[in-house]
Amino acid sequence: MKLTGEITAIIYQNDVNSYTIAEMYVDKIDGKEDNLITIVGYLPFVVEGDELKVIGRFVKHREYGKQFKVDTFEKLMPQTLDALEGYIGNGMIKGVGPATAHKIVGTFGEDTISVIKFQPLKLSQIRGITKEKALEISASFVEHWEVWQIVGFLEKFGIGAENSKKVYDELGINAIEQIEANPYILIDIARGVDFKQIDKMAMDLGMEENNDKRVRSAIKYSLIRITYNGHCCTLKENLIEFVRTLIGVSGDFIEDSYINLKASGEIYEETRENGDIWVYLAIFYKTEESIAKKILSLDNAKNFKFIKNINKELGKIEIIDDINLSDKQKEAIEAVNDHNVTIITGGPGTGKTTIIKSIIQIYEKQGNKVVLCAPTGRAAKRITETTGEEASTLHRLLEIGKFDDDILLNKQQEYQGTPIDADLIIVDEMSMVDMFLMNYLLCSIYKGTKLILVGDSDQLPSVGPGIVLKDLIESETVTTIHLDKVFRQAAKSQIVVNAHRVNDGKYFLPKNELSDDSKKDFFVIDERNQEKILYQIISLCTGRLQNYGNYDFFKNIQILTPTKKGMLGTKELNKYLQNALNPEDKLRDEKKANGVIFRVGDRIMQVKNNYDITWEKENLKKEEKVEYGTGVFNGEIGTILSISEREKSVTIKFDDGKVAVYEYTNLEQIEHSYAVTIHKAQGSEYDVVIMCIPRTAPILLTRNLLYTGITRAKQLLIIIGEKNTIEFMINNVDSKKRNTGLKYKLILYSENN
């Protein structure tokens, strides 16, 4: 179905992929005039006032009713002077607002577009427009117009409009000509593009089956695909077989193109001791190489921060803090003193936090500057709470934004790093640090700075590629202290005891083996039926837990689940829990966005790093009673304080006291957090954790996922699920394997030094 009309309002537009929900005024539908409809789809560069021809169909959304789902669209030149004025003044053209647009159209009338495109210097006739500004206006107009031609071109080949902006940004105005010459360049530009779609385009344009461009692109695409699962490399024989299946050409053609890619430096080979050949995209090989060389170089540098009387300082700490450091804890602190790079690893209750606090005290007393950091906002907040020392996220410390997709497309420029002003850098929750973030960190550390990496390699691996902490430990090239003793006080906790049992491949400790002084902080409800599990969760969250302590959902309790999908996935659980804990109320404002309802009082989580958003919070300890700042980070949890339809904004107070205002257009950055995935909870701790274990995809039911979930609870843990499923998780360790070469490179370079 084809419709033509004007965009009268943008309800929602995703900044990343341009998915848009908008209101569109259509002159006529089925003979009826004056229709206002809702359209949805990928509509890059669409703003209020645009006139579009859209092709698609009407669908009925179960919550929002009738909508027109756009498959493809075309931007139309405004048909009236009023529409033209609205178009050029809608903010898309640099330097032109409504007032300037009114002057331009008033001066040039129907010749406005011709003047802007072909005679831009005439614009300088208008007061306030210099010749330089006139040329800027023309360039901006042409730029935004050209992208529509790219959208239309790509749509013909089944490539969605969500990728058109990236294509334009990379290739510019001549994008279509470049794509027609080599469609496979799209693989290098837009991550996630389907190779088969690109391949079909190339074939339709006359590309030969065994063309070198086609085969090389298939090889690179195959290597990109493996990185989505955390791998850095793959065996050559597996790569060749996958490419042969993907494009149906013989091994000889693949081998020739493979050699060409090696010669051009786009892929790298690594032949290991057993003769296996591992293949990398260049950026992955170079990043592993950089990490290995830099960390060994840092460790081998002169130990400028060595403290001669470290044992004396340890004794002082024990007196001041009234503690008795174990031999292992003392060994860890001595190792930090003796080496520039040290890893401290261990499970819950093994004393990692005490070691961190002691290191900070000892070295700050000697006049050293200690920087404490973690990979996420929640992890940084937790280590701040447990040590009393201010911690930063690694992103903030390194002054970098989110990693662009280009990193995974072999386009990352050599990162020089922002030097960190520190004598010691302590990184907590190291298991969450991927290879790129680790490389960025090492590029920013002066030789002579001590680096202490603290973490638990048995937890979930990083979301990004690599298993940095595990590879560092297993290489045995960096001094590593393994904390394996659970302290007596911690050993009273069934949470701690059972976390270690799970990590050792054992089921939870039977009740008859519990010691008399064991804490009653761990419960398992054996239940298979999903409806009954849901009932148990809601019952526990709505008052039942008060029998065990003064627990309030919004202050103490967090629901964890392995999955986003299904009745016991985060999406559905959040709906059920919102209805139970914060139901609809005429006196409570709410806003529909992104398929969910946000309501005053809702618990939400920030799901992407936003370095620009401003916030304020009370600070009673300082003269300035209000502190201002910028930045809210992935994983931070807060509560919706107010929703303003007039301001089209939502005000959120985060758990650390920050208050930030979100425009409606930014609501894709938050999700309900009544229930979160165990992955999202990594790096955080909660007083009470209720963890449901539904029967779901086996790839999600792993030992390290269960272990990570258990170790999120501080005071009370309740697991609800079938015993057989839990036992399956404890025995399922295969999914932890990732193909990397960092361990190999560390050993190789260490031996060659």
Side-chain angles (χ1 to χ4, degrees):
M1 188 176 186
K2 296 180 182 179
L3 299 175
T4 302
E6 179 185 348
I7 300 298
T8 59
I10 301 291
I11 300 170
Y12 165 77
Q13 192 165 53
N14 186 297
D15 291 336
V16 178
N17 62 15
S18 298
Y19 182 80
T20 304
I21 303 171
E23 289 184 347
M24 181 173 175
Y25 179 83
V26 182
D27 291 337
K28 195 174 286 189
I29 302 177
D30 298 332
K32 296 179 181 179
E33 297 185 357
D34 299 340
N35 293 279
L36 189 65
I37 64 170
T38 299
I39 66 171
V40 297
Y42 296 101
L43 307 172
F45 298 104
V46 168
V47 295
E48 292 181 12
D50 281 347
E51 291 199 22
L52 304 180
K53 178 171 73 175
V54 295
I55 300 172
R57 64 193 185 282
F58 279 105
V59 295
K60 189 169 184 179
H61 193 281
R62 64 181 183 181
E63 289 188 44
Y64 305 125
K66 190 177 182 181
Q67 298 177 335
F68 189 84
K69 187 175 182 181
V70 179
D71 293 325
T72 186
F73 70 99
E74 179 184 345
K75 187 175 182 181
L76 303 175
M77 194 57 72
Q79 302 299 306
T80 67
L81 292 180
D82 285 344
L84 179 59
E85 182 180 320
Y87 168 67
I88 64 174
N90 63 14
M92 289 293 289
I93 299 174
K94 187 177 180 181
V96 179
T100 304
H102 183 72
K103 292 177 185 178
I104 292 172
V105 175
T107 303
F108 299 108
E110 293 182 358
D111 295 329
T112 296
I113 292 174
S114 178
V115 168
I116 293 174
K117 289 180 71 175
F118 305 113
Q119 299 173 294
L121 291 178
K122 282 188 175 183
L123 295 172
S124 61
Q125 298 172 16
I126 297 171
R127 187 176 179 181
I129 299 180
T130 63
K131 289 182 179 181
E132 290 77 10
K133 187 175 180 181
L135 293 173
E136 279 187 4
I137 291 170
S138 178
S140 184
F141 180 90
V142 171
E143 176 183 324
H144 287 101
W145 189 256
E146 287 294 335
V147 79
W148 299 107
Q149 313 308 314
I150 298 171
V151 172
F153 176 77
L154 295 177
E155 286 284 357
K156 293 176 184 177
F157 298 96
I159 297 173
E162 65 269 28
N163 281 312
S164 61
K165 185 178 184 299
K166 282 186 178 180
V167 173
Y168 180 81
D169 289 344
E170 181 71 21
L171 302 180
I173 291 176
N174 298 320
I176 293 175
E177 290 85 347
Q178 294 180 62
I179 294 167
E180 286 179 332
N182 179 17
Y184 296 104
I185 59 176
L186 292 171
I187 295 291
D188 292 335
I189 297 171
R191 186 182 182 215
V193 169
D194 188 341
F195 177 85
K196 291 182 179 179
Q197 288 182 327
I198 305 294
D199 200 35
K200 182 179 182 302
M201 176 197 292
M203 292 301 182
D204 289 345
L205 291 171
M207 180 73 72
E208 293 180 356
E209 192 175 66
N210 58 1
N211 185 286
D212 181 56
K213 291 178 180 177
R214 179 176 187 245
V215 182
R216 287 170 64 148
S217 182
I219 293 170
K220 289 197 291 182
Y221 168 76
S222 303
L223 289 171
I224 290 170
R225 278 282 302 272
I226 65 156
T227 68
Y228 297 165
N229 294 320
H231 302 297
C232 303
C233 54
T234 189
L235 284 167
K236 180 180 178 181
E237 60 197 69
N238 294 343
L239 173 65
I240 299 297
E241 182 58 34
F242 184 87
V243 173
R244 184 188 290 116
T245 304
L246 180 67
I247 59 176
V249 300
S250 73
D252 290 340
F253 288 115
I254 298 172
E255 189 66 37
D256 289 344
S257 296
Y258 179 90
I259 292 169
N260 291 337
L261 283 170
K262 274 205 312 176
S264 64
E266 294 178 77
I267 65 172
Y268 278 69
E269 266 188 8
E270 185 171 77
T271 304
R272 299 185 189 164
E273 312 97 321
N274 59 1
D276 286 343
I277 300 173
W278 292 85
V279 189
Y280 294 76
L281 283 171
I283 188 60
F284 287 82
Y285 183 89
K286 290 178 180 179
T287 300
E288 282 192 347
E289 183 180 56
S290 175
I291 292 170
K293 289 182 176 179
K294 282 184 168 61
I295 206 159
L296 292 172
S297 175
L298 182 64
D299 197 26
N300 292 330
K302 188 173 180 179
N303 188 355
F304 290 106
K305 307 300 184 296
F306 180 78
I307 299 172
K308 292 181 180 179
N309 53 348
I310 190 70
N311 290 322
K312 184 178 177 181
E313 296 302 322
L314 287 172
K316 291 178 182 178
I317 289 292
E318 290 183 307
I319 294 170
I320 293 169
D321 291 348
D322 191 23
I323 57 173
N324 290 312
L325 294 168
S326 70
D327 291 342
K328 273 287 186 182
Q329 287 176 315
K330 290 178 181 178
E331 182 187 348
I333 297 168
E334 289 168 358
V336 169
N337 190 47
D338 291 338
H339 302 275
N340 287 326
V341 182
T342 312
I343 297 171
I344 300 170
T345 184
T350 55
K352 296 191 296 292
T353 302
T354 300
I355 293 171
I356 293 174
K357 290 169 70 175
S358 299
I359 290 170
I360 293 171
Q361 286 178 265
I362 291 170
Y363 281 88
E364 284 187 342
K365 186 180 176 183
Q366 299 290 321
N368 293 297
K369 182 178 179 181
V370 180
V371 168
L372 184 59
C373 58
T376 67
R378 289 289 292 179
K381 178 174 180 285
R382 187 182 66 80
I383 196 64
T384 295
E385 291 171 346
T386 55
T387 64
E389 300 287 332
E390 190 65 32
S392 166
T393 66
L394 277 166
H395 288 77
R396 174 70 77 187
L397 177 66
L398 300 172
E399 298 180 9
I400 55 175
K402 69 174 184 177
F403 294 137
D404 192 86
D405 289 343
D406 285 347
I407 285 177
L408 296 180
L409 297 174
N410 212 12
K411 296 198 176 292
Q412 183 192 36
Q413 298 300 312
E414 183 67 27
Y415 178 72
Q416 298 301 318
T418 302
I420 301 169
D421 179 20
D423 297 297
L424 277 83
I425 299 170
I426 302 173
V427 185
D428 194 30
E429 295 289 353
M430 254 304 296
S431 63
M432 301 175 70
V433 177
D434 67 29
M435 64 188 297
F436 292 116
L437 189 53
M438 186 63 182
N439 189 45
Y440 274 44
L441 173 64
L442 291 170
C443 287
S444 304
I445 299 178
Y446 290 113
K447 281 189 178 181
T449 301
K450 285 186 178 292
L451 177 63
I452 301 101
L453 308 175
V454 183
D456 185 348
S457 61
D458 293 312
Q459 288 192 24
L460 293 167
S462 57
V463 174
I467 41 172
V468 176
L469 180 61
K470 194 166 185 288
D471 278 347
L472 286 169
I473 293 171
E474 291 185 354
S475 74
E476 298 182 353
T477 58
V478 176
T479 301
T480 302
I481 306 301
H482 297 266
L483 304 173
D484 49 15
K485 176 189 174 184
V486 178
F487 281 83
R488 187 167 58 85
Q489 192 62 32
K492 295 178 182 179
S493 168
Q494 293 182 57
I495 296 171
V496 172
V497 170
N498 284 315
H500 285 276
R501 286 182 65 86
V502 165
N503 203 31
D504 292 336
K506 301 174 184 175
Y507 194 72
F508 310 135
L509 191 69
K511 288 185 178 180
N512 60 4
E513 294 185 25
L514 295 175
S515 61
D516 294 336
D517 58 353
S518 287
K519 295 180 183 176
K520 292 183 171 56
D521 61 359
F522 185 97
F523 298 90
V524 179
I525 300 174
D526 189 357
E527 182 57 70
R528 175 179 180 178
N529 183 279
Q530 293 204 6
E531 287 83 359
K532 291 181 179 179
I533 293 176
L534 178 61
Y535 169 79
Q536 293 277 8
I537 292 170
I538 293 174
S539 173
L540 287 164
C541 292
T542 52
R544 191 169 130 207
L545 268 181
Q546 290 179 359
N547 296 328
Y548 295 92
N550 187 26
Y551 298 128
D552 173 79
F553 183 87
F554 291 95
K555 294 178 181 177
N556 311 100
I557 303 170
Q558 182 61 56
I559 311 302
L560 301 183
T561 178
T563 179
K564 293 180 179 180
K565 299 178 180 179
M567 179 183 289
L568 298 177
T570 53
K571 290 185 178 181
E572 293 301 315
L573 273 176
N574 275 314
K575 290 178 183 177
Y576 290 122
L577 289 163
Q578 183 193 41
N579 288 335
L581 296 162
N582 193 29
E584 183 179 4
D585 187 328
K586 291 181 180 179
L587 300 177
R588 190 179 291 128
D589 291 329
E590 59 182 48
K591 166 65 181 174
K592 288 183 179 179
N594 313 327
V596 298
I597 297 172
F598 290 109
R599 194 171 288 146
V600 171
D602 274 344
R603 293 289 283 160
I604 61 89
M605 175 183 279
Q606 179 81 7
V607 293
K608 62 185 288 189
N609 290 329
N610 183 335
Y611 291 84
D612 302 319
I613 194 167
T614 58
W615 51 259
E616 61 180 60
K617 69 176 178 179
E618 291 184 26
N619 196 331
L620 302 177
K621 296 180 180 179
K622 297 183 179 180
E623 291 184 15
E624 298 291 335
K625 298 301 182 186
V626 180
E627 179 184 351
Y628 299 93
T630 59
V632 179
F633 302 103
N634 187 1
E636 293 198 54
I637 287 178
T639 304
I640 295 178
L641 294 183
S642 64
I643 297 173
S644 171
E645 188 60 38
R646 187 180 70 178
E647 302 292 334
K648 298 194 180 304
S649 66
V650 174
T651 302
I652 299 169
K653 184 174 184 179
F654 289 90
D655 285 356
D656 62 355
K658 294 195 301 278
V659 177
V661 178
Y662 286 66
E663 296 179 1
Y664 282 175
T665 52
N666 289 328
L667 292 183
E668 86 281 355
Q669 296 181 17
I670 63 171
E671 292 177 356
H672 286 120
S673 65
Y674 296 95
V676 300
T677 62
I678 297 170
H679 279 90
K680 277 289 184 186
Q682 190 167 3
S684 304
E685 282 187 342
Y686 313 94
D687 290 340
V688 180
V689 167
I690 301 170
M691 182 164 52
C692 66
I693 308 293
R695 301 181 75 184
T696 185
I699 195 171
L700 296 174
L701 299 175
T702 63
R703 180 189 295 176
N704 58 348
L705 190 81
L706 179 61
Y707 175 72
T708 301
I710 291 172
T711 54
R712 299 311 91 201
K714 290 194 291 184
Q715 298 178 17
L716 180 64
L717 173 67
I718 301 170
I719 298 176
I720 311 173
E722 184 183 17
K723 184 178 180 182
N724 289 344
T725 306
I726 296 170
E727 288 179 335
F728 175 84
M729 293 184 79
I730 293 170
N731 293 321
N732 184 15
V733 294
D734 291 341
S735 65
K736 289 171 65 175
K737 295 176 181 176
R738 288 186 174 185
N739 295 330
T740 69
L742 179 58
K743 173 183 172 181
Y744 172 78
K745 292 179 179 65
L746 284 161
I747 295 170
L748 181 68
Y749 300 154
S750 178
E751 291 173 348
N752 291 338
N753 278 346

